Amino acid sequence: MEIKAIRGFNDILPDEIGKWQFLEITAREVFEGFGFSEIRIPILERTELFSRGIGEATDIVEKEMYTFTDRSGNSLTLRPEATASMARAYLEHQLYTFDPVAKLYCIGPMFRYERPQKGRFRQFYQIDAEVFGVENPMVDAEVIVMLIDFLKRVGLEKLELQINSLGCRDCRPRYREELKKFFAQKAFQLCEDCRRRLDTNPLRIFDCKVETCREAIVDAPKVIHFICSKCKMHFDQVKGYLETAGLSYVLNPKMVRGLDYYTRTAFEVVSYQLGSQNAVTGGGRYDNLFQEIGGLDIPGIGFAIGMERLVSLLPKDKEFIQTPHLFVAILGEKTIKEAYRIINQLHLQGIRAECDYEGKSLKSQMRRADKLKAQYVLILGENELKRGKAVLRNMGNKVQEEIPILDLVNIIKEKARHQE
RNA sequence: GUGAGUGUAGCUCAGUUGGAUAGAGCACUGGGUUGUGGCCCCAGUGGUCGAGGGUUCGAGUCCCUUCACUCACCCCA
């Protein structure tokens, strides 16, 4: 094997595609039930959209983007996330002129140049949902409830919803300074990385796994105590609505987000079965994004679900693999043409009929039928054909019957219907 | 970008202190009386031992380089 898929880019093979389709269908059902519409956006955008939207100083923009210059000299980037593009589309097509409130979802691949590991790939799929144009905390709860409902519908248990408030443009800088002061005093017990973070992004220290840093974190000031009264009120209302909806959550004052545009409500759903990359989904409010990309002052909130992480959590016992309704065993040269005629008719009627193409022995054909888990085998031999009949074998109970070829398609359609 | 681990048949892995034609299970193909599956039995196909260099009479085994994969850090979905 010479040419292989490139690092971090994976094939999703037929034996697992059922799970993916299941997730997509369920997401569409649930989201559309909540009044969301699908939007499809390009995979390539002008680099500027992301550098301004996500934030120049974020890891994504600094070192994780697939950026290149096209033949006419424009700097383009494979989308590392969907929110910025969705916001761009909303502005570009002035969707707000139809209705200031837009509820959108989008399913597709994202690209980030990172070192792959468990649950992390260079091309990975996300299910995104966003609400543009509403500042009211009611919609924060609405989005979170929809997300949890989706996760329940796909059969996930043992998940934990964590929420936090990150404050806004006014109060977050104050908190940041406070945090800097605090950790500066404790710099001696911080690891090398965290001392660097002190300057670049002190909030990130909360994520550190080094023992001594964790100790330093314990009595660090919490965002929640520093957010302004407006942000606090917003957060309190979000919690209130979640309680009204009957959702339980865990406050995680240490949760921070890696993208600059996040403000106020931030949330994550984590699983303890995922390994190091334990966030199945993450999201939050981003009331500054639209202005960053040069648009109007429009608030937004949304989330992204990591599909491969979700797929890996899906129960294994679910049978997603499609099996043939029928296997046609062909015996003898003379029957090939008639067999083809029958198989063709079955296919046109939506019957999954398989057959042998290489004139193999009946034994070999039966073995394959069994391997493919075909419920029935139709044996077409010269003897039966002369009498206008064929043998139909039920592989489950080994019962065989002779059926007239003229009624064959109808009989098999009937049997196939019972199988579904 | 950093660190650790692993690369032997399609898959999962054996391969002893370097020693002769590189093994097993599963999978695949055929067969076990004429046209009947799963279990069982027999046989067969399949490997430049990741790649390149070096040490040696001799390397899958030791050394160096390189590539790939995996996990972790970083960060995130």
Side-chain angles (χ1 to χ4, degrees):
Chain A
M1 207 32 205
E2 295 194 323
I3 301 176
K4 297 200 287 188
I6 57 182
R7 163 170 253 192
F9 287 66
N10 299 118
D11 299 309
I12 300 162
L13 301 175
D15 67 339
E16 54 177 350
I17 204 71
K19 291 186 183 183
W20 289 76
Q21 292 173 338
F22 168 67
L23 290 182
E24 287 171 12
I25 290 167
T26 310
R28 292 200 153 85
E29 258 175 44
V30 172
F31 295 179
E32 284 169 22
F34 273 77
F36 284 65
S37 306
E38 183 174 2
I39 181 171
R40 299 199 187 187
I41 48 169
I43 281 178
L44 271 178
E45 296 273 4
R46 301 194 88 103
T47 303
E48 229 189 326
L49 173 67
F50 302 119
S51 52
R52 277 162 56 186
I54 299 171
E56 206 73 65
T58 58
D59 276 31
I60 290 181
V61 172
E62 264 181 3
K63 49 188 197 194
E64 294 173 6
M65 295 204 302
Y66 276 94
T67 298
F68 63 96
T69 308
D70 75 0
R71 287 168 193 272
S72 52
N74 297 316
S75 177
L76 304 182
T77 294
L78 280 168
R79 63 183 189 199
E81 57 116 45
T83 311
S85 300
M86 287 163 78
R88 194 223 76 233
Y90 174 84
L91 290 172
E92 185 171 337
H93 303 286
Q94 300 171 24
L95 297 184
Y96 48 82
T97 58
F98 169 69
D99 186 339
V101 180
K103 298 182 177 179
L104 304 168
Y105 74 89
C106 178
I107 302 174
M110 307 297 156
F111 305 85
R112 290 183 203 171
Y113 191 87
E114 298 178 271
R115 196 82 160 251
Q117 69 181 74
K118 191 180 177 71
R120 195 172 70 187
F121 314 95
R122 288 183 171 179
Q123 174 174 334
F124 59 100
Y125 291 79
Q126 287 190 335
I127 301 175
D128 272 86
E130 315 284 346
V131 178
F132 299 148
V134 184
E135 202 183 346
N136 194 302
M138 199 161 121
V139 89
D140 298 42
E142 200 176 306
V143 162
I144 293 172
V145 168
M146 179 173 87
L147 170 63
I148 300 297
D149 184 45
F150 167 72
L151 294 173
K152 273 190 196 148
R153 288 272 286 274
V154 299
L156 288 202
E157 314 268 328
K158 288 191 216 152
L159 296 173
E160 185 174 285
L161 168 65
Q162 302 185 349
I163 62 169
N164 192 23
S165 177
L166 304 176
C168 62
R169 236 182 317 205
D170 301 326
C171 53
R172 185 140 56 142
R174 275 213 313 276
Y175 172 64
R176 213 183 119 109
E177 284 315 305
E178 205 58 39
L179 208 56
K180 251 178 157 170
K181 262 194 261 169
F182 174 84
F183 281 123
Q185 288 170 354
K186 302 212 164 199
F188 64 92
Q189 67 177 102
L190 295 179
C191 68
E192 207 180 312
D193 280 332
C194 284
R195 265 178 257 161
R196 179 176 49 79
R197 289 186 187 121
L198 208 47
D199 262 342
T200 55
N201 193 348
L203 279 79
R204 281 253 148 254
I205 297 175
F206 282 124
D207 276 346
C208 191
K209 281 143 193 154
V210 177
E211 191 60 36
T212 55
C213 296
R214 301 217 67 91
E215 286 164 20
I217 293 162
V218 174
D219 39 27
K222 308 272 195 292
V223 215
I224 303 193
H225 302 134
F226 283 83
I227 56 179
C228 61
S229 56
K230 278 168 106 177
C231 286
K232 185 170 186 314
M233 197 164 75
H234 185 96
F235 193 46
D236 286 341
Q237 289 182 60
V238 172
K239 287 187 284 187
Y241 284 123
L242 288 178
E243 279 151 29
T244 304
L247 270 197
S248 52
Y249 57 82
V250 174
L251 278 180
N252 179 358
K254 294 182 292 188
M255 182 171 68
V256 290
R257 311 255 72 203
L259 284 62
D260 276 3
Y261 57 59
Y262 282 114
T263 54
R264 293 190 169 171
T265 315
F267 55 92
E268 246 171 50
V269 176
V270 301
S271 160
Y272 297 103
Q273 310 164 45
L274 271 180
S276 183
Q277 310 301 327
N278 65 356
V280 186
T281 94
R285 181 164 276 285
Y286 40 88
D287 293 339
N288 302 334
L289 171 65
F290 279 87
Q291 282 179 305
E292 292 299 334
I293 62 174
L296 308 159
D297 186 7
I298 292 166
I301 179 163
F303 59 78
I305 303 168
M307 284 188 77
E308 28 286 273
R309 290 180 191 179
L310 198 46
V311 164
S312 73
L313 289 174
L314 244 36
K316 283 196 187 83
D317 51 342
K318 260 199 162 149
E319 192 56 70
F320 290 107
I321 302 163
Q322 204 178 53
T323 59
H325 292 114
L326 176 78
F327 187 93
V328 180
I330 304 165
L331 297 171
E333 292 273 319
K334 293 174 194 154
T335 54
I336 293 176
K337 203 169 172 190
E338 179 64 5
Y340 175 74
R341 195 186 61 79
I342 292 168
I343 291 166
N344 182 247
Q345 273 182 33
L346 292 168
H347 283 159
L348 294 175
Q349 296 287 324
I351 306 293
R352 293 189 295 274
E354 271 310 315
C355 70
D356 163 63
Y357 297 101
E358 292 168 67
K360 294 198 171 166
S361 68
L362 179 59
K363 177 181 194 141
S364 153
Q365 295 190 57
M366 292 297 285
R367 276 186 179 162
R368 193 155 91 93
D370 184 58
K371 186 179 66 186
L372 297 175
K373 295 192 171 75
Q375 264 302 304
Y376 289 91
V377 172
L378 185 75
I379 301 169
L380 278 177
E382 293 178 20
N383 302 342
E384 291 85 359
L385 216 58
K386 276 180 203 154
R387 310 198 320 267
K389 307 227 166 158
V391 174
L392 186 65
R393 178 181 177 87
N394 181 326
M395 294 295 270
N397 58 19
K398 300 182 174 185
V399 173
Q400 292 192 181
E401 54 181 323
E402 264 198 352
I403 58 175
I405 289 180
L406 280 176
D407 308 335
L408 198 147
V409 172
N410 284 332
I411 292 172
I412 289 166
K413 258 174 81 175
E414 188 59 26
K415 303 248 186 213
R417 248 197 20 208
H418 287 301
Q419 278 179 48
E420 298 293 322

